[in-house]
Amino acid sequence: MKLELVDAKKWINLFVEKLEKNQTDLNELDTAIGDGDHGTNMKRGAEAITAAFEKKDPENLSDLYKATAFAMIQKVGGASGPLYGTAFLDMSKAVKTDNLELGDLLQIGTDGLKRRGESDTGMKTMIDVWQPVSDALKVNKFDQKVIDNALENVKNLVATKGRASYLEEKSKGHIDPGAQSSAYLFESLIEIMGA
Amino acid sequence: MKYGILIVSHSADIAKGVKALISQAAPDLSITIAGGTDENGIGSSLEKIQQAVDDNTGDEILAFYDLGSSKMNLEMLMEMTDRTIHKYDVALVEGAYIAATLAEVDSPLATIEDNLKSLKIK
């Protein structure tokens, strides 16, 4: 399945809504294994996305993902800024000439995360949500269960990348905040795919 | 001068402090800094890094950073710019100090990099 502009806009707007609504939850997750500001940072990014769309309504998919990327890069402040920013910027470049199947598009975003974070699956990061979602979309088996399973898996992992890795075994049992905000992104996707 | 120095830190104060320190050893070098977020909070800003790169008058830039998102934003900028930037995964203060000292006396890049090797910590 491919996402056209109208639905892609709805997708990002829903993500923005969820980030604004769940700011406190994300901060709490980040307090457990980080510096406690992921919710605040992502809310700032969310507001910047809204401001960017109001300033200039994206006319095509590439512009939409690019505006999302730049809002994140410029306003998030923490590591999530360049990470989400790279994912969306790579996706923006990928749809410049032709729209892609969602699974392939999100794989490009996932590969961007891996490159920017010098990371991979199994390290207790947002990649542990992006990769299984991309994989599921490629075989048309994406649903809420995929996200739930990914979060459950993340929870049980020991962090080997990012600030939480300093906590070693103590990071186990906590959901990575970046994985949770990524879950909001893909739960937003389910909502618009179902509509 | 052949080389300029770029300091990227999560803290505006750290960036300023490192510049003050290394300027003593290298008064003639172009040393530009990007510290903290756009609102001067703790974090890093691609825009500030872009500005610091634009302001740097070295032919090539030797870049030093502290933590995660400083590095990621720096790498993102490196993918976007035409300037030649060498990024070093070394201790920020000591690395920038050694590089500045050597660049000040026109040491070749190989010598600078050789001296930075033992400071690699990330």
Side-chain angles (χ1 to χ4, degrees), chain B residues 2-22:
Chain B
K2 177 123 174 73
Y3 298 110
I5 304 263
L6 168 67
I7 306 294
V8 184
S9 170
H10 269 52
S11 151
D13 288 337
I14 288 179
K16 256 187 272 172
V18 173
K19 179 177 176 171
L21 179 70
I22 67 175

Side-chain angles (χ1 to χ4, degrees), chain A:
Chain A
M1 125 165 222
K2 294 180 184 180
L3 213 53
E4 300 303 331
L5 180 62
V6 179
D7 286 332
K9 249 186 225 177
K10 279 188 202 157
W11 174 33
I12 302 299
N13 283 330
L14 265 176
F15 179 44
V16 162
E17 262 176 45
K18 286 190 200 297
L19 289 176
E20 292 182 336
K21 205 171 75 189
N22 294 298
Q23 179 190 358
T24 316
D25 287 354
L26 287 177
N27 277 343
E28 275 169 15
L29 288 177
D30 198 24
T31 302
I33 54 171
D35 55 358
D37 63 1
H38 186 59
T40 309
N41 287 345
M42 291 302 286
K43 180 164 187 276
R44 211 167 38 235
E47 286 166 354
I49 292 173
T50 306
F53 289 177
E54 276 169 9
K55 199 173 167 195
K56 191 176 180 297
D57 192 23
E59 286 166 14
N60 55 55
L61 279 172
S62 185
D63 284 353
L64 176 81
Y65 296 141
K66 193 174 170 185
T68 305
F70 273 89
M72 291 292 199
I73 292 165
Q74 283 164 353
K75 290 296 169 199
V76 172
S80 318
L83 287 169
Y84 275 105
T86 300
F88 276 100
L89 202 56
D90 286 0
M91 283 158 56
S92 156
K93 285 178 196 158
V95 296
K96 214 156 204 165
T97 42
D98 279 311
N99 197 359
L100 294 175
E101 289 289 329
L102 253 179
D104 297 331
L105 179 67
L106 290 178
Q107 185 60 55
I108 286 170
T110 307
D111 291 344
L113 294 176
K114 290 179 181 175
R115 180 176 90 253
R116 184 67 62 224
E118 292 170 0
S119 185
D120 209 332
T121 50
M123 297 174 116
K124 200 180 181 84
T125 71
M126 49 201 288
I127 294 168
D128 291 308
V129 174
W130 281 69
Q131 187 61 68
V133 168
S134 306
D135 289 342
L137 277 163
K138 282 180 224 166
V139 292
N140 291 321
K141 284 193 174 139
F142 175 54
D143 55 20
Q144 183 63 39
K145 221 170 158 190
V146 173
I147 299 175
D148 293 344
N149 288 344
L151 286 180
E152 193 55 35
N153 171 52
V154 162
K155 197 172 177 179
N156 295 323
L157 287 170
V158 172
T160 51
K161 198 80 197 182
R163 197 190 328 258
S165 64
Y166 302 138
L167 299 174
E168 298 174 342
E169 282 291 327
K170 279 186 199 150
S171 65
K172 216 170 160 174
H174 297 281
I175 291 178
D176 173 72
Q180 181 63 62
S181 60
S182 298
Y184 295 147
L185 176 67
F186 298 124
E187 282 166 1
S188 307
L189 186 59
I190 289 179
E191 283 181 41
I192 63 119
M193 282 170 75

Side-chain angles (χ1 to χ4, degrees), chain A residues 37 44 70 73-75 77-79 81-83 85-86 89 93 115-118 163 166, chain B residues 10 37-39 42-47 67-69 71-73 75-77 79-80 87:
Chain A
D37 63 1
R44 211 167 38 235
F70 273 89
I73 292 165
Q74 283 164 353
K75 290 296 169 199
L83 287 169
T86 300
L89 202 56
K93 285 178 196 158
R115 180 176 90 253
R116 184 67 62 224
E118 292 170 0
R163 197 190 328 258
Y166 302 138
Chain B
H10 269 52
T37 63
D38 291 343
E39 290 86 23
I42 298 295
S44 63
S45 149
L46 184 68
E47 220 170 311
L67 304 169
S69 72
K71 181 188 190 196
M72 290 185 212
N73 274 320
E75 286 172 345
M76 187 166 258
L77 192 272
E79 286 176 12
M80 296 172 174
K87 170 182 70 77

